[in-house]
Amino acid sequence: MEFDFAYAFEDAISAPSLYKRIGVFGSTGSIGKQTLDVIRANPNLFSATILTAQSNAELLIEQALEFKPHAVVIGDTKKYELVKEALKGIETVVMAGEQSLETAAAMDCFDMMMAGIVGFAGLKPTLQAIKTGKHIALANKETLVVAGDVVMLMAQQMGVSIIPVDSEHSAIFQCLVGEKNNPIEKIILTASGGPFVGRKPNFLVNVKREHAIQHPNWSMGAKISIDSASLMNKGLEMIEAKWLFDLKPSQIEIVIHPQSIIHSMVQFKDNSIKAQMGLPDMKLPIQYALSYPHRFENDFPRFNFAKSATLTFDPPDIKTFRNLGLAITALNQGGNMPCILNAANELAVYGFLKNRLGFLDMTEVIERTMANMPFIENPTLEEYFESDGEARNFAASLINL
Ligand code: NAD
Ligand code: MG
């Protein structure tokens, strides 16, 4: 399958107006809140016209009263009345339940979706937004891990841009601006290594939720924090990069860079390497995804070369952090294997967060699920959904959920 990466640039460059109405899906999460910070700081450029949350009705109400969006969705249907009552003084449409996310995604009150829902749950609303012609600022990497071929093809057919928000992919995207016909030799994804960088299995076996959730450089939601600690996050990002930039697995390299200053690099055919740098702050890739192809002023803290002395680079320890190895296997196998990996990982992380599984047991659950699910080389979207469901059931039976 051929993807024309360049079309995304041209499409966005020819956008008639700078002003964008943003549908913030997952507005109460780490990405969602920072997206609203960017929108709040640029009221002449952006507005938030859709807000959605799974269960944090209080924050959703607060956000809605501030931004007065066209519509809000609360995932938990038990909280519908609470939200409806709180918003009766404004003209916001209030909806509830999983299906309403797709209804909201199809509305024409927004130009760009911030895909900030976590996990597989983000896939269907994102597909719906693409189908109805919205550009996507993509934070939800699981969308591409599960069904990258379907999503990218649909985006291409609809002429919509998928602009990465994940800091590494935003870095690569920024390095590619102005390089339209210059082939990539490889990309180098940087990884902080998470809170357990340099640790060995005898340490990891005793790791608890409280340790794993504390990332040294980034403050993020619970699931991605655990994925970062296990290096699964970097594996998911390799798969995400494959689809975003139309790469072969052999063109994607990982390097551990604990300072998180270089956010990723592209090496071109002439051996020149471009890097994008800055302090670790998700607001920058979020702002860039909303403002692309322009850059807007902001007051984010600046990197100071005089103060920050050393940048270091090491290879990843795949023997210890086996989740990364499993993700690379899934990346190489292709088909429905990344979807299976993702489903098993979501269940394993859930089990770990609920203290039902040890840190290293997550790897066992993922490995056994991958070994037990039927492989499909060229799945349809329906088959991706089925693979996800079957893999979830199998993984849940291993965890005793
Ligand atoms: P989070 O847990 O902080 O927020 C998740 C949001 O999704 C919340 O608004 C929540 O209400 C909503 N949500 C959760 N489950 C849902 C469901 N089943 N249905 C509908 N909505 C649901 O997560 P986050 O850290 O903001 O991450 C969001 C996505 O962005 C993830 O895919 C993550 O990998 C990606 N990402 C996050 C960061 C970061 O710095 N936080 C960086 C790069 C990529
Ligand atoms: Mg990232």
Side-chain angles (χ1 to χ4, degrees), residues 141 166-168 233 237:
K141 63 194 84 187
D166 215 348
S167 57
E168 297 77 1
N233 184 49
E237 290 184 353

Side-chain angles (χ1 to χ4, degrees), residues 26-32 34 52-55 101 115-119 121 139-142 166-167 219-222 224 282:
S27 64
T28 54
S30 160
I31 290 289
Q34 295 179 85
T52 85
Q54 181 57 15
S55 54
L101 286 173
I117 289 177
V118 58
N140 177 276
K141 63 194 84 187
E142 295 91 344
D166 215 348
S167 57
S219 159
M220 310 179 285
I224 184 175
M282 281 310 294

Side-chain angles (χ1 to χ4, degrees), residues 149-166:
D149 53 347
V150 175
V151 172
M152 294 307 287
L153 187 62
M154 192 185 284
Q156 194 168 1
Q157 284 166 348
M158 289 305 302
V160 308
S161 312
I162 310 264
I163 314 266
V165 171
D166 215 348

Side-chain angles (χ1 to χ4, degrees), residues 195-196 204 206-215 221-223 225-226 229 349-359 362:
F196 308 135
L204 295 178
N206 294 319
V207 152
K208 294 277 170 289
R209 184 189 196 277
E210 309 75 70
H211 308 134
I213 221 160
Q214 295 299 336
H215 196 281
K223 194 250 176 189
S225 297
I226 303 304
V349 171
Y350 179 79
F352 177 73
L353 286 170
K354 294 271 173 214
N355 295 317
R356 306 253 183 101
L357 274 184
F359 190 76
M362 290 193 285

